[in-house]
Amino acid sequence: MSVNWALPFEEKLIPPGYEGKVVPPSVYQAVHKVLTDNYKEYWESVAKELEWFKPWEKVLDDSRPPFYKWFVGGELNLSYLAVDRHAKSWRKNKAAIIWEGEPIEDGKPKEVRVLTYGDLYREVNRVAYMMRHVLGLKKGDTIAIYMPMVPELPIVMLAAARLGVIFTVIFSGFSAQALADRINDSKAKVLFTADGSWRRGKVVPLKEIADKALESTPSVQKVVVLRRIGNNVNMVSGRDYYFDELLKDVPQNVYVEPERVKSEDPLFILYTSGTTGKPKGIVHDTGGYATILHATMKYVFDVRDTDVYWCTADIGWITGHSYIVFGPLLEGVTEVMYEGAMDYPEPDRWAAIAERYGVTILYTSPTAIRMFMRYGESWVTKHNLRSVRIMHSVGEPINPEAFRWFLKVVNPNAVFGSTWWMTETGGIMISHAPGFLLVPMKPGTNGPPMPGVDADVLNDQGNPVKDRERGYLVIRKPWPGMPLTIWGDDERYVKTYWSKFQGVFYPGDFAVKDEDGYFWILGRADEVIKVAGHRLGTYELESALIQHKAVAEAAVVGIPDPVKGEVPVAMVVLKQGYHPSEELKRELNSWVREQVGPIASFADIKFVTKLPKTRSGKIMRRVIKAVLTNAPLGDLTTLEDETSVEEIKRAYEELRKEIS
Ligand code: PRX
């Protein structure tokens, strides 16, 4: 858990201009209670605002908990909802995506592409046609997508959704090994990738990485390669095809009828890290997912047709799936999509983009904000960002200082919140909701749960804690957008999320609730770490380390970092014959980056002769963390339940001696 700042429970902020519109928290709580008590009716009313090919027969099938099914009997198609509906309306020539590539020339972006809803409709249909008729894909097949942040990425996702083809997007910063693991688990038949992507002025050789992965992915029959960079890449005859070549003969105006997908049919799988084992393939449905996205786009982002919306996430993560691809397009908004690093080539790249397109809604991360803060406010204030009326952050807790700073330098008149949710929830669960009922802001809080979301904070015994007391966040009632399961592993789904407390969903976070009903998510209660908002399992990093020939044992913990929130530190026990050295540290660091990807960079690697363990052999990561952060040990006793206090103390002292 990384939060080590005071929580300003009592500080209430009302943005100028909102004085008459803000409601007291008690009013919000009363309305929330009515809607949440009647959650099925509430969610049904939201779902009715979408267009269904066939209405549902039952709002919620809860006959086999926790395998809930929403809007059973209903049929819809997300590609139809996100594209056709708008292309057939006055929005046909409205900009859907304003895309900016990373390279800069003569002080200006070298490439800007604007795709209207009409353009999107044409391209999605053509790619869907190519998928069906050239690649032979059909409903229920799975494909993997390893692509950069270019418009073809959402187009491929929408085309797959059109056919009912289940897709899994793998973040383009992941390594060959991580890519192969995800392809193999999902049994993807086709891989969509690119010749490369731009990152900080350098080419990331995506196809080269994919080729390495493809050495051990027997399910993949065909590989489609987008020419993003135009460099020469290895193309395997009979397996690899260029995207443009496959599309060459597809007519411009081809129409592929959207499949009538069942509400509970899977839309995508997204892999995410957990406490143990390999990454879990979280499976999302179609109808429930569409419903939570519609509710949150309306309430959290308050989108209107005049807005210019920008979510700075990468599509490889859930934030990009929900709030770059499906959410904003469902609502027919104009959105900005940017390919590269937010601070490249100068620290104000992001602010220049926001100013250039007149962004009105900005969704970003605490890590990005803290990075901007380090560069200094003049990089922000030289741009006019007063167009921004709503901002939200996501991915990790935001410290009050960063919150106050960002609000001041971007636009003190804006609404600013921190939306809590996760890969598993599909959409935002706890957040300020300016499009519904806005309550006063407090720097660092997540605000109250969304309507229909029944959140609580429990102690170890499963009883609600008092206000301002720390406990475990839980969600009591099912919600649309919840996972169907973990791909191929129902048992693990039940065990991970539904077993800690009987009958309620356990996300794995610590939280406190205050007297206004606001939640403050404090960080992970398990061994997941959030590095710059990216979710990494300590287990993944440890298993990469122990695959190195010099390593006998390894333990990884996250320690607080002023910019990235948390960073991983490794404790390594070497095999006989190997000796600690700076060179070995560097080697281990690059080894793990290669195995997992560049997001897996250790802040430090410490060589020790043994790791603190419980009697049953479990590594006491919390002891390691306490030593590294000089945390008081008293805090640990309840957390290390299998171990005696004496044992923990001894392990702590031993480790401290060794490290110092
Ligand atoms: O610990 C919480 C943190 O991110 C975790 C989920 O990570 P992921 O599945 O990668 O999804 C991130 C983007 C939705 C949560 O368990 N988290 C996410 N948003 C917040 C947050 N912690 C505090 N405040 C937030 N706004």
Side-chain angles (χ1 to χ4, degrees):
M1 203 187 58
S2 62
V3 167
N4 52 3
W5 55 76
L7 304 176
F9 291 121
E10 276 147 40
E11 185 176 337
K12 292 191 182 169
L13 302 175
I14 296 176
Y18 276 86
E19 289 85 357
K21 296 179 202 148
V22 166
V23 301
S26 57
V27 170
Y28 185 97
Q29 281 173 306
V31 176
H32 178 269
K33 183 170 184 326
V34 173
L35 297 179
T36 309
D37 285 350
N38 301 288
Y39 69 109
K40 291 187 199 172
E41 290 78 3
Y42 163 70
W43 287 117
E44 181 169 37
S45 72
V46 176
K48 276 187 178 155
E49 293 177 6
L50 300 167
E51 210 180 309
W52 295 68
F53 296 143
K54 183 168 164 265
W56 51 89
E57 280 138 29
K58 198 166 184 195
V59 177
L60 177 66
D61 174 358
D62 48 9
S63 59
R64 209 168 62 91
F67 300 96
Y68 296 97
K69 290 180 181 161
W70 282 91
F71 310 115
V72 183
E75 290 175 359
L76 73 168
N77 187 292
L78 268 187
S79 157
Y80 175 85
L81 287 175
V83 183
D84 300 35
R85 260 194 320 171
H86 310 307
K88 285 181 187 155
S89 76
W90 67 267
R91 293 197 186 99
K92 181 171 189 223
N93 296 318
K94 177 180 172 178
I97 297 175
I98 304 173
W99 175 84
E100 189 169 303
E102 191 191 71
I104 290 278
E105 208 173 57
D106 301 330
K108 290 199 199 94
K110 201 171 149 201
E111 299 149 291
V112 174
R113 284 167 67 188
V114 179
L115 280 93
T116 64
Y117 277 96
D119 295 331
L120 206 53
Y121 175 80
R122 185 186 64 240
E123 294 310 317
V124 168
N125 271 287
R126 294 181 72 224
V127 174
Y129 183 94
M130 176 258 270
M131 281 181 179
R132 178 178 280 165
H133 297 285
V134 185
L135 300 171
L137 290 167
K138 53 182 193 317
K139 185 163 179 258
D141 286 342
T142 52
I143 62 167
I145 307 174
Y146 183 62
M147 287 175 73
M149 284 285 290
V150 291
E152 284 76 8
L153 171 52
I155 289 170
V156 168
M157 293 162 78
L158 289 161
R162 195 168 191 89
L163 301 180
V165 166
I166 304 164
F167 57 85
T168 184
V169 180
I170 296 111
F171 171 56
S172 60
F174 272 130
S175 68
Q177 188 56 49
L179 174 61
D181 288 347
R182 287 155 176 79
I183 291 176
N184 287 333
D185 191 74
S186 65
K187 307 228 164 28
K189 282 188 168 171
V190 173
L191 172 68
F192 279 82
T193 186
D195 57 0
S197 76
W198 289 113
R199 189 76 190 172
R200 298 194 175 281
K202 294 203 192 87
V203 173
V204 183
L206 290 182
K207 178 62 167 60
E208 211 178 292
I209 301 169
D211 278 339
K212 229 185 271 168
L214 288 161
E215 287 169 12
S216 60
T217 54
S219 64
V220 176
Q221 295 155 11
K222 294 197 172 80
V223 178
V224 183
V225 183
L226 178 81
R227 285 190 240 247
R228 163 66 189 122
I229 306 290
N231 51 350
N232 263 337
V233 295
N234 169 47
M235 295 292 280
V236 175
S237 154
R239 187 195 71 180
D240 301 356
Y241 303 88
Y242 279 114
F243 198 93
D244 52 307
E245 281 170 15
L246 293 184
L247 277 179
K248 210 168 51 201
D249 299 325
V250 177
Q252 288 290 321
N253 57 355
V254 72
Y255 173 68
V256 176
E257 195 176 328
E259 282 282 336
R260 297 167 73 101
V261 174
K262 288 205 200 82
S263 175
E264 70 271 25
D265 278 344
L267 175 69
F268 66 87
I269 308 167
L270 184 57
Y271 286 86
T272 188
S273 297
T275 307
T276 54
K278 58 186 170 86
K280 301 170 288 209
I282 301 299
V283 189
H284 280 291
D285 76 342
T286 305
Y289 184 64
T291 303
I292 195 166
L293 294 188
H294 177 54
T296 48
M297 286 307 301
K298 253 185 16 174
Y299 293 156
V300 177
F301 296 106
D302 185 30
V303 285
R304 301 171 193 164
D305 260 313
T306 44
D307 277 314
V308 179
Y309 167 100
W310 185 23
C311 166
T312 69
D314 191 288
I315 292 176
W317 308 109
I318 191 68
T319 307
H321 282 59
S322 299
Y323 296 107
I324 297 179
V325 183
F326 293 103
L329 298 177
L330 264 180
E331 304 302 311
V333 308
T334 293
E335 68 171 325
V336 173
M337 179 177 169
Y338 170 57
E339 178 181 40
M342 300 275 273
D343 57 342
Y344 182 85
E346 300 273 11
D348 62 340
R349 179 62 182 272
W350 70 275
I353 292 175
E355 183 180 36
R356 187 153 37 244
Y357 305 110
V359 166
T360 58
I361 302 173
L362 182 62
Y363 196 24
T364 191
S365 73
T367 290
I369 294 170
R370 288 189 292 257
M371 179 177 81
F372 305 152
M373 207 169 150
R374 286 224 154 166
Y375 286 129
E377 74 178 63
S378 59
W379 287 105
V380 188
T381 49
K382 73 189 237 197
H383 297 278
N384 182 353
L385 300 182
R386 294 299 147 111
S387 58
V388 175
R389 65 181 185 92
I390 292 178
M391 307 190 280
H392 286 288
S393 80
V394 62
E396 46 178 323
I398 184 163
N399 44 319
E401 190 194 353
F403 176 97
R404 293 189 191 104
W405 181 84
F406 204 53
L407 188 62
K408 182 184 87 188
V409 298
V410 173
N411 182 4
N413 298 334
V415 173
F416 186 17
S418 167
T419 63
W420 178 86
W421 60 296
M422 63 198 309
T423 305
E424 291 82 345
T425 67
I428 295 165
M429 304 289 278
I430 303 178
S431 170
H432 285 280
F436 175 63
L437 285 174
L438 185 64
V439 288
M441 311 183 303
K442 299 182 188 186
T445 187
N446 300 101
M450 296 291 293
V453 173
D454 190 5
D456 205 348
V457 184
L458 306 182
N459 62 16
D460 281 293
Q461 287 69 45
N463 300 316
V465 298
K466 291 199 200 101
D467 290 343
R468 300 196 187 191
E469 238 172 51
R470 192 183 77 164
Y472 303 98
L473 178 68
V474 296
I475 310 293
R476 292 188 185 280
K477 295 193 168 80
W479 69 96
M482 66 196 307
L484 286 169
T485 186
I486 292 175
W487 187 251
D489 203 343
D490 285 355
E491 208 181 302
R492 191 172 175 204
Y493 176 60
V494 177
K495 193 163 166 262
T496 310
Y497 304 107
W498 299 91
S499 300
K500 186 171 172 76
F501 302 109
Q502 200 52 40
V504 297
F505 178 82
Y506 168 63
D509 278 326
F510 280 127
V512 296
K513 196 168 89 161
D514 68 19
E515 49 285 1
D516 289 323
Y518 289 21
F519 283 65
W520 305 68
I521 313 304
L522 306 174
R524 300 289 308 181
D526 57 12
E527 281 152 6
V528 166
I529 50 181
K530 301 250 31 195
V531 183
H534 302 323
R535 192 162 156 186
L536 281 176
T538 47
Y539 174 87
E540 283 163 89
L541 303 178
E542 289 165 5
S543 51
L545 276 169
I546 58 178
Q547 281 171 43
H548 188 279
K549 60 181 190 302
V551 178
E553 281 188 293
V556 173
V557 295
I559 61 161
D561 178 87
V563 175
K564 293 180 176 171
E566 275 187 301
V567 285
V569 173
M571 300 276 137
V572 169
V573 179
L574 292 175
K575 281 187 189 151
Q576 289 242 319
Y578 291 92
H579 304 286
S581 70
E582 284 305 311
E583 197 189 328
L584 185 55
K585 260 190 200 180
R586 276 193 296 276
E587 187 180 321
L588 291 177
N589 217 342
S590 51
W591 168 265
V592 174
R593 281 170 65 103
E594 245 169 64
Q595 304 282 310
V596 182
I599 52 167
S601 276
F602 291 111
D604 196 4
I605 296 178
K606 292 193 185 299
F607 296 108
V608 288
T609 55
K610 69 176 193 278
L611 296 173
K613 287 189 191 155
T614 62
R615 252 168 302 196
S616 56
K618 226 181 122 213
I619 297 170
M620 292 192 241
R621 293 191 186 76
R622 289 181 198 283
V623 165
I624 299 175
K625 196 164 173 164
V627 172
L628 291 176
T629 55
N630 282 324
L633 244 190
D635 211 29
L636 291 164
T637 48
T638 57
L639 303 169
E640 214 65 62
D641 18 304
E642 297 158 27
T643 326
S644 73
V645 178
E646 284 317 309
E647 227 184 317
I648 296 175
K649 276 194 186 151
R650 198 182 54 238
Y652 177 83
E653 291 307 333
E654 280 175 14
L655 184 67
R656 221 175 48 164
K657 260 190 232 140
E658 191 164 358
I659 287 184
S660 61

